[in-house]
Amino acid sequence: MNKTISNYIQAHKQDILDQWIDRTKEEADDRVVRLVSDRVFQSASKEFIDLIISNFKGTNEEYKERLTDFAEKVVRLGWPLTFVTKGLHTFNLIVFEGMQKEGIVTPENQMEIVYEFDRWATPMNNEIVSVYSSTWERTVSLQKIALQELSAPLIPVFEGITVMPLVGTIDTERAKQIMENLLKGAVKHRSEVVLIDITGVPVVDTMVAHHIIQAADAVRLIGAKCMLVGIRPEIAQTIVNLGIDLNQFTTKNNLKKGIEAALELTNKKIVSLEGAK
């Protein structure tokens, strides 16, 4: 970067930071400002300005390392990419206007300084977009894995009886996760009866039913019985209209009745003890 510009930035760092925070808050989407407290916003803003300055003070490796750390932070804070890239533009505008007021930018050298700004800012903007995008993709990927692990839990409720509550849409990828969790869980918990609860599944179409039937068949192959519970009236009507055959299932309309039936199948029952409160 032009030494005149870099010297001006370093000499007016605090003033630039104050102006940048004020302008950014005025122009930012309310959602961005609400996401974090003023203290965190001020801290992240200072780090952003320090990051910009480090682009022409430190080594390229140090700059990239700081850029990666900052990108990870703003992704966690929920700052959109447009907010970050617009922040770089605002920074350049504040510096340029300040240099104009002090007479550093003149009609004679204005085009040269504008060119210097562009030559410095464009690669930095591209680098920010690249690092932010890769950080965001990595974060989303990790979140997706975590959600998949939680999306089809198998819960032991009594000895030999386990329940898998399903919530939300079931696609092919999730169906594979359900199948895997069912089989691993049934073996791990020594399940005799597995209840698949579809109370939270909004739509049961041919594909969803096919996945559930496949899961039930797999459970039977390892020696456990499978029961489908949580069939609401509208789901029952859809199943009939689609001609889906669930004759191989024991079906119950809610989890309570399913557990009662599972207790009976495993020769267990719940009794009240005399004198117990």
Side-chain angles (χ1 to χ4, degrees):
M1 179 185 250
N2 184 294
K3 283 188 177 180
T4 304
I5 301 173
S6 64
N7 289 339
Y8 175 85
I9 291 172
Q10 292 180 71
H12 298 78
K13 176 182 172 183
Q14 188 58 48
D15 184 51
I16 293 169
L17 174 61
D18 293 340
Q19 288 188 60
W20 190 87
I21 290 173
D22 290 340
R23 287 200 194 183
T24 303
K25 281 197 171 183
E26 285 176 11
E27 298 171 5
D29 189 305
D30 287 343
R31 182 180 64 85
V32 175
V33 179
R34 287 198 308 266
L35 282 173
V36 293
S37 66
D38 284 344
R39 184 178 62 80
V40 174
F41 185 82
Q42 294 250 357
S43 172
S45 298
K46 183 178 182 303
E47 188 173 343
F48 183 50
I49 301 301
D50 287 341
L51 170 68
I52 294 172
I53 293 173
S54 73
N55 190 26
F56 54 79
K57 280 184 68 179
T59 66
N60 194 48
E61 286 184 5
E62 289 172 339
Y63 164 68
K64 285 195 173 183
E65 186 177 334
R66 291 186 69 169
L67 179 57
T68 301
D69 291 342
F70 181 77
E72 290 176 352
K73 177 178 287 186
V74 295
V75 166
R76 289 196 302 271
L77 291 174
W79 288 6
L81 179 58
T82 51
F83 178 77
V84 180
T85 53
K86 191 175 180 182
L88 181 59
H89 173 74
T90 302
F91 176 87
N92 288 345
L93 197 58
I94 291 169
V95 174
F96 189 80
E97 290 172 352
M99 292 175 69
Q100 275 185 320
K101 286 179 183 177
E102 292 197 6
I104 300 172
V105 176
T106 63
E108 290 75 25
N109 67 7
Q110 181 171 319
M111 289 308 299
E112 180 188 345
I113 290 180
V114 168
Y115 173 74
E116 285 292 333
F117 266 113
D118 183 67
R119 193 176 69 169
W120 166 73
T122 299
M124 184 176 184
N125 190 73
N126 293 340
E127 189 71 23
I128 286 174
V129 171
S130 175
V131 173
Y132 184 100
S133 300
S134 61
T135 301
W136 181 257
E137 287 170 5
R138 187 170 65 254
T139 301
V140 170
S141 178
L142 291 172
Q143 288 175 342
K144 187 175 181 181
I145 292 170
L147 284 172
Q148 284 178 340
E149 290 174 352
L150 298 172
S151 66
L154 194 67
I155 305 166
V157 289
F158 292 101
E159 187 181 347
I161 302 173
T162 51
V163 176
M164 175 172 280
L166 300 179
V167 178
T169 304
I170 299 174
D171 56 17
T172 302
E173 187 176 348
R174 191 178 176 204
K176 290 178 183 177
Q177 187 75 31
I178 290 170
M179 177 82 78
E180 186 178 335
N181 288 7
L182 263 178
L183 295 177
K184 284 183 179 178
V187 171
K188 177 182 176 181
H189 300 300
R190 299 180 181 179
S191 303
E192 297 176 48
V193 181
V194 177
L195 291 84
I196 301 177
D197 184 3
I198 62 168
T199 305
V201 178
V203 177
V204 175
D205 55 17
T206 306
M207 185 190 74
V208 172
H210 174 69
H211 288 318
I212 293 173
I213 290 169
Q214 277 191 323
D217 287 341
V219 169
R220 280 201 296 272
L221 287 174
I222 60 173
K225 296 176 182 177
C226 195
M227 191 180 302
L228 189 63
V229 302
I231 301 178
R232 306 185 303 279
E234 62 271 22
I235 296 296
Q237 188 174 1
T238 300
I239 289 172
V240 171
N241 291 339
L242 292 173
I244 298 168
D245 182 15
L246 295 179
N247 287 333
Q248 69 269 45
F249 279 99
T250 300
T251 59
K252 299 294 177 182
N253 67 342
N254 59 52
L255 182 59
K256 179 176 178 292
K257 290 183 178 178
I259 289 177
E260 289 172 352
L263 288 169
E264 191 174 328
L265 285 170
T266 55
N267 297 316
K268 297 182 181 72
K269 63 180 179 178
I270 299 174
V271 296
S272 298
L273 296 176
E274 188 176 344
K277 294 184 180 180

